[in-house]
Amino acid sequence: MIIYTHISLKNILYNKTKKGDIDYLLINIYAHMFTEQELAQARAILKANKQENLLRFIDKLDNNKKEKIIKQILNLDFTQLNKLYEETKSSAEIINKKIENIKYVDEYKLSDEAKERYTNIGEKVIKNNQYAVVTMAGGQGTRLEHNGPKGTFKVDVDPEPKYLFQILAENLQRANKKYNVILPWYIMTSTENNEETVNFFEKHEYFGYPKENVMFFTQGNLPILLENGDLIVDKDYTIKEAADGNGCIYSAMAKAGVLENMKKKNVKWIFIGAVDNILLNMVDPILLGLTIDEKNEAASKSVAKASPKEKVGAFCKINGVPSVIEYTELPEKMAEEVDEEGELLFGEAHIMCNLFSIQALEKVSKVQLPYHVAHKKSNYMNENEEFVKVTEPNAYKFEAFIFDAFNFFDDISILRGKREMDFAPIKNKVGNDSPDTAKELYNNYWKNTKI
Ligand code: UTP
């Protein structure tokens, strides 16, 4: 292959052809631009990392596909990937860590005076246009099995079915009306669902939300590995990747210019929540006021665990710093421990309802959060070029978790809310935390709430 630089190629073409033709030609040439050198480099990298299998179909591919896979290889951090694979072989070391309970404030035990004070502090920030909301919508929603971005799922609530994104947009519009502001709304997507998400908002005219106040940004990806450590060839012959977990939101916000954009708008406090909780309170002056009053930079709303064995992460301190411990890591005996009032010591469930100051986000956007490994099902292209659909977990997926950022603060504020007021998640297709359970919570909430 002949290698031209963009400049020399352009000069040659401009000397020989008309401008309109050149632009078309350039677009096409640049669309599949890679060099023999790059291909050789990619092969060498794969050899050094024992991943040569990846290129077994390369000669059959067209230039576009070749370019894509070569770029993926050259951009991959194999040192990190090899380390992550090694870590799948050792179980998480929680044994030697000191786990303690963490203090929280129960919203429903606050005196009227305290509630009013926190509300006033919080409302002042909101009314001063110093508050913004971020929705994490980059997940794959595998358990729900909905075809499309999770936010495009329609829930059969009263009085008429609504999309998850619509419910969020309407919640924010109510807050806008109440505080006479237009909150900047940032939505994190994945490379997989970004286009569909944006198109969905366009098609539905942003559900009435002022479009110029909505900004989408996309999180990163990490490859999935088969159990033997091999990278996976996907249906389209590229390396199979998946979103790198909601904990990558911080670096994604910095990279995409979201933090800069917030600073330009003089935003001081940022709420970050999930796409799939239809009772999510994204604009909560009490949570905000409490956090400011306690002089913290980060905060979270919790609900009491339904039972010691409920499969949710619980707030605690690990080695002295605020953390969320996964239910799989919390020893059974500790999960059942209670305080003098009979409350579970590790009973505050993390419900993806988080608040940060802009400084806090800047700080955590610069640190690398740990990746957690999940054993998942992943279809793959086998050596006979057949795309295998699997029924059992066969691969490792790596994800950073949003709550691991709490480790970087000496303290955080935790406000315990109530399930029936704050938490109606849609995770599973049926059973617990499904559209049916969420719908019931939502309908009951709105039956008892006046706007
Ligand atoms: P979950 O961890 O519950 O994942 O996400 P999920 O994608 O909704 O569902 P499963 O596990 O595949 O069934 C909690 C929140 O974090 C977001 C989700 O969109 C949801 O709002 N998330 C998750 C991301 O934005 N990016 C990710 O990489 C993962």
Side-chain angles (χ1 to χ4, degrees), residues 135-145 150 188-190 193 219-220 242-249 273-277 352 376 397 399-402 426-428:
T135 297
M136 300 182 288
Q140 288 184 303
T142 28
R143 287 169 286 173
L144 183 62
E145 296 177 26
K150 204 172 189 179
M188 180 169 82
T189 61
S190 65
N193 73 17
Q219 68 177 102
D244 48 7
N246 55 30
C248 293
I249 187 165
V275 71
D276 53 12
N277 170 8
M352 300 271 165
K376 296 243 173 175
K397 188 177 170 201
E399 287 186 294
F401 292 164
I402 182 149
I426 297 183
K427 296 289 175 193
N428 306 307

Side-chain angles (χ1 to χ4, degrees), residues 371-388:
Y371 285 105
H372 300 249
V373 61
H375 199 206
K376 296 243 173 175
K377 286 186 274 187
S378 178
N379 299 337
Y380 66 99
M381 185 86 77
N382 71 11
E383 53 285 0
N384 303 323
E385 221 178 325
E386 295 149 352
F387 195 64
V388 182

Side-chain angles (χ1 to χ4, degrees), residues 152-201:
T152 67
F153 181 76
K154 208 173 201 177
V155 205
D156 190 16
V157 291
D158 290 339
E160 54 180 7
K162 283 180 183 172
Y163 299 104
L164 292 180
F165 280 135
Q166 179 181 8
I167 291 175
L168 295 176
E170 289 177 2
N171 280 350
L172 289 180
Q173 283 172 97
R174 270 192 298 277
N176 285 348
K177 202 166 152 204
K178 180 170 177 187
Y179 299 113
N180 193 26
V181 292
I182 301 178
L183 297 167
W185 186 18
Y186 302 85
I187 299 173
M188 180 169 82
T189 61
S190 65
T191 49
E192 192 183 336
N193 73 17
N194 180 65
E195 200 179 330
E196 220 178 323
T197 304
V198 177
N199 289 343
F200 182 80
F201 270 86

Side-chain angles (χ1 to χ4, degrees), residues 347-402:
E348 295 315 299
H350 178 254
I351 57 166
M352 300 271 165
C353 187
N354 308 299
L355 180 74
F356 297 90
S357 71
I358 185 82
Q359 291 83 3
L361 288 184
E362 285 196 302
K363 173 170 148 177
V364 291
S365 71
K366 294 185 190 119
V367 297
Q368 173 65 62
L369 297 188
Y371 285 105
H372 300 249
V373 61
H375 199 206
K376 296 243 173 175
K377 286 186 274 187
S378 178
N379 299 337
Y380 66 99
M381 185 86 77
N382 71 11
E383 53 285 0
N384 303 323
E385 221 178 325
E386 295 149 352
F387 195 64
V388 182
K389 295 213 164 140
V390 297
T391 51
E392 293 300 321
N394 63 331
Y396 297 117
K397 188 177 170 201
F398 305 98
E399 287 186 294
F401 292 164
I402 182 149

Side-chain angles (χ1 to χ4, degrees), residues 220-247:
N221 286 324
L222 267 180
I224 304 174
L225 294 178
L226 286 175
E227 282 162 348
N228 66 2
D230 277 0
L231 286 158
I232 298 178
V233 180
D234 209 347
K235 215 187 287 168
D236 64 352
Y237 297 90
T238 59
I239 298 176
K240 190 161 188 176
E241 296 182 322
D244 48 7
N246 55 30

